[in-house]
Amino acid sequence: MKATSAISRHASQDRQASLISSAANLFAAKGFKGTTTKEIAKAAGVSEALVFKYFPTKRALYTAILAEKAPLSELLSAVEEFARKRDDHRVFTLIASYRIRPGADPTMLRLLLFSALEGHELADMFFGKQHRVFYDYLAGYIQTRIDEGAFHAIDPLLAAHAFIGMVVHHRLLHEIFDVPLHCSHKDIVSTYVELFLKGLQPSSTDKKRGLTRVR
Amino acid sequence: MKATSAISRHASQDRQASLISSAANLFAAKGFKGTTTKEIAKAAGVSEALVFKYFPTKRALYTAILAEKAPLSELLSAVEEFARKRDDHRVFTLIASYRIRPGADPTMLRLLLFSALEGHELADMFFGKQHRVFYDYLAGYIQTRIDEGAFHAIDPLLAAHAFIGMVVHHRLLHEIFDVPLHCSHKDIVSTYVELFLKGLQPSSTDKKRGLTRVR
DNA sequence: GTCCGGTAAGTGAGTGATTACTCACCCCAG
DNA sequence: CTGGGGTGAGTAATCACTCACTTACCGGAC
């Protein structure tokens, strides 16, 4: 009551943020169409009318969620450090451990999938502009290792897809389809990394021929 | 008009089937909540009221879609033939080529994902009872190859997840996220199969020790 | 202090459109 | 003339969104 002006000087921003996070959770849980503005308001503890004071439409609230989500930059810079050292295991372990964010946040995978399925622009913005960079980066790293002869000749983008596919699929099974993990996360990561790196080992014929197919 | 009674003696069954397929397409495209009964009726070329003559509720129509979808048995028996011959390449190529059905039908992946996200029982029935058998089968095959010393010691279920993950992820990117394929389907399959099989090759230490970890 | 006025935060009670679903009725083959 | 396939015109509920309105808070004028 008294300290209101000091503590919540930016009350409107707080409201906006809490609306966004409430909405993100609900959209992730039940989809855009499956979530009502009344529910969002209730979850944020305000009246439905107020939602429309902050966001002109339900859709605007939806797209606003985007701005809240962190980019991949932190992960990429961490990965780059190991990449510079040509430490394959660390590079891929790191990537697998981060489990191909959206933010390691379990709601983001659902949100992303819902967006893609429902055909919203969110999927394009999120996946197209942020996530796809990641695949390209990984493919680039694999390409340089191929050039160095550390990996055998393979389509690097396909290899990147394969690795991320293994990890993401596991996350998908676990988080979306409720398949229980039958071993620890650490075991999963190390098994996948080893399997993948072994699959990329240069074959004897490659070494002989010095083959490095470029895409 | 004239031959109606002869040709469509089972008019009601035809109607039912066309309603189911129309509904399946729409649910796959826009989700359960995103599809209206009016749209379904229009797509099937009947009045909205008729929909409710055949199915008591929208949800009943949804669950009825299940019965229409073929089980995995054909794929499994084809795979089993190669499995008996211990022809790893053929086994995995076949699996990858079938692209981990639902029926090679592109709508089924969307339908399955929507179901899982929206939390319908369809996901449980479809994935739980049909699809999961497939993972277990694959894991079983991998286990026997490990026992024979053809593959190195690895958690077989994890390996099965990894392989199917690679393929499904690719399908996901392509069909759900509209990522263009940058090489032919055949190339993708053979690359993935080779990568995977190479990753499973027994290491020299395994051979020496005759290691076959069982889960 | 206190009174004023302007402004932003917040709401209850709607609005028209859309939803899943119903019902009285029609049509026509047997 | 009867019964099943088929429909137009509803209905109550719910939806996203609006509006008239109250309350709370602020900086000054006196």
Side-chain angles (χ1 to χ4, degrees):
Chain A
M1 269 192 208
K2 35 197 166 175
T4 316
S5 67
I7 291 177
S8 58
R9 198 164 1 118
H10 308 293
S12 77
Q13 285 184 22
D14 292 352
R15 273 280 113 89
Q16 201 157 330
S18 87
L19 278 172
I20 285 178
S21 89
S22 299
N25 287 334
L26 284 166
F27 286 149
K30 330 205 303 173
F32 182 78
K33 282 250 166 187
T35 303
T36 69
T37 52
K38 191 178 272 176
E39 284 174 318
I40 296 168
K42 197 174 178 183
V46 297
S47 71
E48 195 183 354
L50 193 64
V51 175
F52 292 96
K53 287 262 154 124
Y54 285 96
F55 302 95
T57 62
K58 184 186 175 188
R59 179 147 230 113
L61 174 53
Y62 186 85
T63 57
I65 292 171
L66 249 195
E68 289 289 289
K69 299 306 165 185
L72 293 165
S73 50
E74 324 131 41
L75 172 58
L76 275 182
S77 62
V79 167
E80 252 164 15
E81 197 191 315
F82 295 118
R84 228 174 289 120
K85 297 182 198 157
R86 301 284 182 263
D87 188 343
D88 299 328
H89 266 273
R90 299 285 277 279
V91 171
F92 288 110
T93 298
L94 201 62
I95 288 169
S97 294
Y98 266 72
R99 290 145 115 215
I100 322 311
R101 327 176 126 200
D105 177 353
T107 68
M108 282 310 289
L109 178 62
R110 295 184 63 91
L111 202 52
L112 181 61
L113 277 173
F114 254 127
S115 304
L117 285 172
E118 289 180 332
H120 304 152
E121 63 275 20
L122 177 60
D124 269 0
M125 294 175 74
F126 197 87
F127 182 78
K129 308 234 165 73
Q130 291 199 343
H131 223 121
R132 213 174 296 191
V133 167
F134 193 65
Y135 284 74
D136 288 341
Y137 175 84
L138 194 56
Y141 175 73
I142 293 171
Q143 178 67 62
T144 64
R145 298 296 279 153
I146 293 171
D147 293 343
E148 293 169 1
F151 294 163
H152 80 250
I154 190 173
D155 184 308
L157 189 53
L158 222 48
H161 281 171
F163 181 68
I164 293 181
M166 293 193 302
V167 181
V168 168
H169 186 67
H170 210 94
R171 214 185 144 194
L172 203 81
L173 288 180
H174 182 50
E175 289 176 17
I176 310 291
F177 290 94
D178 292 325
V179 176
L181 297 176
H182 67 289
C183 53
S184 79
H185 176 60
K186 214 173 158 185
D187 284 348
I188 295 170
V189 168
S190 65
T191 303
Y192 282 176
V193 170
E194 268 164 49
L195 181 70
F196 185 71
L197 287 177
K198 194 165 178 190
L200 284 184
Q201 274 172 10
S203 63
S204 46
T205 54
D206 283 351
K207 272 181 193 157
K208 274 180 212 151
R209 289 185 287 155
L211 208 166
T212 54
R213 195 204 321 165
V214 198
R215 69 175 172 119
Chain B
M1 267 190 214
K2 35 197 167 176
T4 316
S5 69
I7 292 176
S8 56
R9 199 163 359 118
H10 309 292
S12 76
Q13 285 184 22
D14 292 352
R15 275 278 114 90
Q16 201 157 331
S18 86
L19 278 171
I20 286 178
S21 89
S22 299
N25 287 333
L26 284 165
F27 286 148
K30 331 207 301 176
F32 182 77
K33 283 250 166 189
T35 303
T36 69
T37 52
K38 190 179 273 178
E39 285 174 317
I40 296 169
K42 198 174 177 183
V46 298
S47 70
E48 195 183 353
L50 193 64
V51 176
F52 293 96
K53 287 261 155 124
Y54 286 95
F55 303 96
T57 62
K58 183 186 175 186
R59 179 147 229 112
L61 174 52
Y62 186 86
T63 56
I65 291 172
L66 250 195
E68 288 290 288
K69 300 305 163 185
L72 292 165
S73 50
E74 323 132 41
L75 172 58
L76 276 181
S77 62
V79 166
E80 251 163 17
E81 198 191 316
F82 294 119
R84 228 173 289 121
K85 296 182 197 157
R86 301 284 182 262
D87 188 344
D88 300 328
H89 266 272
R90 299 285 277 279
V91 171
F92 289 109
T93 298
L94 201 61
I95 289 169
S97 295
Y98 266 73
R99 291 145 114 215
I100 323 312
R101 325 177 127 201
D105 178 353
T107 68
M108 282 311 288
L109 178 63
R110 297 184 63 92
L111 202 53
L112 182 61
L113 277 173
F114 255 126
S115 304
L117 286 171
E118 289 179 331
H120 304 152
E121 62 275 20
L122 177 59
D124 269 2
M125 294 175 73
F126 197 86
F127 182 78
K129 308 232 166 73
Q130 290 200 344
H131 222 122
R132 213 174 296 193
V133 167
F134 193 64
Y135 285 74
D136 288 341
Y137 175 84
L138 193 56
Y141 176 72
I142 292 171
Q143 178 67 60
T144 64
R145 297 298 278 153
I146 293 170
D147 293 343
E148 292 170 4
F151 293 163
H152 79 251
I154 190 173
D155 184 308
L157 188 53
L158 222 47
H161 281 171
F163 181 68
I164 293 182
M166 293 194 301
V167 181
V168 168
H169 186 66
H170 209 94
R171 215 186 142 192
L172 203 82
L173 287 181
H174 181 50
E175 288 176 18
I176 310 292
F177 289 95
D178 292 325
V179 175
L181 298 176
H182 67 287
C183 53
S184 78
H185 176 61
K186 213 172 160 187
D187 284 348
I188 295 170
V189 168
S190 65
T191 302
Y192 283 176
V193 170
E194 265 163 49
L195 182 70
F196 186 73
L197 287 177
K198 193 165 179 191
L200 284 183
Q201 272 172 12
S203 63
S204 46
T205 54
D206 282 351
K207 273 181 192 157
K208 274 178 211 153
R209 288 186 288 157
L211 209 168
T212 53
R213 195 205 320 166
V214 197
R215 70 175 176 120

